[in-house]
Amino acid sequence: MTVNAELYRRIIALADLVTPMAVRAAATLRIADHIGEGGQSLVELARCTGARPRPLGKLMDHMVSLNILDFKDGRYHLTDMGSVLRREGTSPWPFEQLDIDGVIGRTELSVIRLMHTLRTGESVYHGMYGTDLWSYINGLEDADDALSSQSQPELAFDVDLLMDHPCWRTASTVVDVGGNTGALVEALLARYPDLCATLLDLPAFAHVARQRFADSGMSDRATVIGRSFFDLLPEGADVYVLSSVLADWDDASAVRLLRNCADAAGKDGRILVSEVCLTEHLQRADTAMALWLEAAMENPDRTVEDISILAAEAGLSVARVDRAPTRMVLELY
Ligand SMILES: C[S@@+](CC[C@H](N)C(=O)[O-])C[C@H]1O[C@@H](n2cnc3c(N)ncnc32)[C@H](O)[C@@H]1O
């Protein structure tokens, strides 16, 4: 069989790893900011990035071939595309995932373990780090700094479905289980002035959340606990929220977590399971992102019915279900 050279070239181009890593390395070194308006020589770029001149020169030449940089009169200059990579004056920087020194950039590299997901069904993070993403981040030596310096995730994906839930009208206490660095608690406390919250997350996330509540003057209404949600949860709150948490866990762990919430909530508390559901939309529009979510989570596609079955295994019943295009909220008791 003769190989069609053009198709061969296209397949190899699709599978290239060098260019994606080169763009990420250039972003991590902040090449665009160092070049700025006036252009920069290789020697000067090596000095201000701390990179070795010879490999840096190869990186710069590849950036020129990609039309991210121009090379004129012994200096590299930004093209229109290269200018977009500048961070200074752009807040939040829209390419945070390209910075290999940052939390998101580091975790994105786990996609090289896609085979692990395909062979085991576990997330790529297990293949890369031997543990789940959150334990890995929590265990980083610079976890607090890394989490504080990245831009805080926005509340998105039809979050109003959760924010407007009728149970907030009567609740005076909430535990946000896996509450990350506090965005949801902050929004709930701002919206419902009589509500007090406890955020529980792994210690590094809890540390950043505590700082956040101190900065926003909410510490008197927001308590923070840094420990695993598989250990004991604070008892007796009116509402326990699990927002975008269950998707990271296999069925057995999800049931364990729901049971933990049920024990803490007792007979009077309610549990709100709020999951973001994107696959249906992405499968039509962005198959790469759908594949990434599959690789990054244990179960990105659970339906209301799937969660109801897990809830029943944990001894919980469904009181109410709300749906929006990218989110579902189940109220359990
Ligand atoms: C996808 S994030 C969801 C964050 C937030 N609830 C939201 O709606 O955006 C999952 C959260 O679960 C936390 N988490 C993971 N494992 C945990 C554990 N064993 N104990 C406590 N929190 C954990 C993570 O640190 C992370 O903040």
Side-chain angles (χ1 to χ4, degrees), residues 253-331:
S253 306
V255 170
R256 208 170 124 214
L257 183 48
L258 285 167
R259 206 170 275 139
N260 237 3
C261 291
D263 289 346
K267 63 177 178 31
D268 295 327
R270 296 277 157 153
I271 298 154
L272 293 184
V273 172
S274 173
E275 288 285 272
V276 170
C277 27
L278 292 178
T279 302
E280 206 182 306
H281 300 267
L282 290 170
Q283 219 48 57
R284 279 181 254 121
D286 187 345
T287 50
M289 181 56 84
L291 176 59
W292 166 245
L293 293 182
E294 180 64 41
M297 296 177 197
E298 303 294 310
N299 262 301
D301 296 340
R302 282 198 188 101
T303 61
V304 166
E305 291 69 35
D306 295 333
I307 294 174
S308 305
I309 290 169
L310 298 179
E313 275 184 55
L316 289 162
S317 307
V318 180
R320 176 188 170 109
V321 175
D322 292 285
R323 288 294 315 243
T326 63
R327 188 177 288 266
M328 59 176 107
V329 177
L330 286 82
E331 179 184 338

Side-chain angles (χ1 to χ4, degrees), residues 7-29:
L7 294 182
Y8 177 89
R9 193 195 60 72
R10 275 162 55 188
I11 293 284
I12 292 295
L14 283 176
D16 174 48
L17 288 175
V18 176
T19 296
M21 284 311 297
V23 172
R24 284 163 195 263
T28 304
L29 292 173

Side-chain angles (χ1 to χ4, degrees), residues 132 134-135 153-155 176-181 184 200-202 205 227-230 242-245 248-249 274 327:
D132 63 276
W134 311 105
S135 303
E154 301 279 316
L155 291 173
D176 190 2
V177 182
N180 201 259
T181 54
L184 179 65
L200 185 140
D201 207 296
L202 296 169
F205 295 85
R227 70 163 175 258
S228 172
F229 48 40
F230 292 114
L242 283 169
S243 169
S244 300
V245 166
D248 286 328
W249 300 96
S274 173
R327 188 177 288 266

